[in-house]
Amino acid sequence: MADRIEISFLETFICSAFAACFAELFTVPLDTAKVRLQLQRKIPTGDGDSLPKYRGSFGTLSTIAREEGISGLWKGVIAGLHRQCIYGGLRIGLYEPVKTFLVGSDFIGDIPLYQKILAALLTGAIAIIVANPTDLVKVRLQSEGKLPAGVPRRYAGAVDAYFTIVKLEGVGALWTGLGPNIARNAIVNAAELASYDQIKEIIMKIPGFGDSFLTHMLAGLAAGFFAVCIGSPIDVVKSRMMGDSTYRNTIDCFIKTMKTEGIMAFYKGFLPNFTRLGTWNVIMFLTLEQVKKVFLREVLYD
């Protein structure tokens, strides 16, 4: 039996893409609620107050289901799966090779946290540069609520959205919001992967714990929490730029949002975002750890 168990990049990519897509299927409704809350503006009334259409995560979910049907909660699921196949596969698949490259192939012992963070920042940025078109289409599909009678939808579906955006706005439009998206996904990826890696490493050293289901679940929840706390402001700016073309750039979106709605606007959708990312990370990491064992066994018994 080999002292060191290895898994190839292609195998890791396949495992990561599968786990990410599996988690996406379960959490799309929560992501749709998050996007609607983030894109929601204050609606002035006659007496100077404002009445938001969507109130809280569960209120948003029920409003969408009531007005658009249950299927409305899964808007953008196809584009979401496209995104996870590419982004999820690359960011996780590249993490171990990049981490090994940074510390050297001969390194022995626990890799320092800052090296894990740097590796995750790099892989998150690389992955989203490739996957940005899928993210754009997903946000645009999710942002469409109930339309007045006789008003057609902008896109018939994910594939139609890709072609329509290219036709009307040009190929470059598929990379709208790339700046905040790189910042958001690099930071969130670092918060997720580095924290999962570090916390899992710490928990496994506690007597009674090991490389177990409970360890993976606890580390996954922690990863989701850190990702939301750190990435929410950038996530709001990213969603608004992708869902609304009136902003000139990232700074313009940030300033206008801060001026008109205050700093708490950057934490809109925090609860559904944490519920979604916490659930997503637990499902994804649990699935990833199990699927990887299929390939690891093949290496062990060759």
Side-chain angles (χ1 to χ4, degrees):
M1 186 178 290
D3 292 330
R4 186 171 181 177
I5 301 172
E6 295 184 349
I7 182 171
S8 71
F9 166 73
L10 178 60
E11 290 168 337
T12 305
F13 178 89
I14 293 170
C15 293
S16 305
F18 176 81
C21 287
F22 188 71
E24 188 76 6
L25 283 172
F26 282 91
T27 57
V28 165
L30 294 169
D31 193 46
T32 300
K34 178 207 74 173
V35 169
R36 295 287 179 89
L37 284 168
Q38 288 179 338
L39 292 177
Q40 181 169 250
R41 310 284 182 82
K42 289 185 176 180
I43 304 172
T45 59
D47 56 4
D49 294 327
S50 59
L51 295 174
K53 179 178 180 180
Y54 303 113
R55 294 173 179 270
S57 54
F58 294 109
T60 303
L61 290 170
S62 61
T63 299
I64 295 171
R66 184 175 64 253
E67 293 186 349
E68 304 166 45
I70 296 297
S71 62
L73 296 171
W74 269 267
K75 278 185 177 177
V77 64
I78 300 301
L81 294 177
H82 292 169
R83 178 184 186 273
Q84 293 302 340
C85 274
I86 300 171
Y87 176 68
L90 285 175
R91 76 181 180 102
I92 301 169
L94 288 170
Y95 178 64
E96 289 296 333
V98 170
K99 194 168 63 171
T100 301
F101 173 78
L102 291 174
V103 299
S105 58
D106 297 328
F107 181 86
I108 298 174
D110 295 337
I111 295 176
L113 178 59
Y114 78 91
Q115 295 281 30
K116 297 174 182 177
I117 293 173
L118 180 57
L121 284 170
L122 290 171
T123 60
I126 293 168
I128 201 58
I129 290 173
V130 178
N132 197 81
T134 62
D135 212 10
L136 175 75
V137 169
K138 177 186 174 186
V139 169
R140 290 204 179 179
L141 290 172
Q142 288 179 325
S143 65
E144 282 196 333
K146 184 180 180 182
L147 299 174
V151 178
R153 294 198 174 279
R154 286 191 295 176
Y155 314 112
V159 176
D160 177 63
Y162 291 118
F163 284 104
T164 302
I165 292 169
V166 170
K167 182 179 179 181
L168 299 180
E169 305 173 48
V171 175
L174 291 173
W175 277 268
T176 298
L178 180 61
N181 217 11
I182 288 176
R184 184 259 179 192
N185 284 279
I187 292 171
V188 169
N189 194 52
E192 284 181 355
L193 294 188
S195 64
Y196 179 82
D197 198 358
Q198 187 73 14
I199 293 169
K200 176 185 170 184
E201 187 178 285
I202 292 170
I203 294 175
M204 286 176 63
K205 293 178 180 178
I206 300 174
F209 288 86
D211 196 9
S212 64
F213 179 93
L214 180 59
T215 298
H216 302 156
M217 185 179 71
L218 292 174
L221 275 173
F225 179 75
F226 283 120
V228 177
C229 288
I230 296 170
S232 274
I234 303 171
D235 195 35
V236 170
V237 172
K238 181 214 74 170
S239 291
R240 293 198 170 190
M241 286 194 67
M242 289 184 166
D244 188 341
S245 59
T246 59
Y247 299 111
R248 295 194 302 272
N249 51 50
T250 305
I251 296 175
D252 181 56
C253 180
F254 183 87
I255 292 174
K256 284 181 178 177
T257 302
M258 173 72 82
K259 186 182 295 184
T260 58
E261 301 173 60
I263 192 169
M264 292 310 297
F266 295 108
Y267 286 90
K268 277 188 174 181
F270 182 89
L271 180 58
N273 203 8
F274 172 63
T275 305
R276 186 247 175 191
L277 266 183
T279 305
W280 192 95
N281 274 281
V282 169
I283 295 173
M284 193 281 290
F285 282 117
L286 285 175
T287 305
L288 177 63
E289 297 281 6
Q290 297 307 309
V291 175
K292 281 170 66 176
K293 290 179 181 178
V294 175
F295 293 98
L296 291 175
R297 287 195 186 103
E298 289 180 356
V299 174
L300 279 170
Y301 293 101
D302 273 351

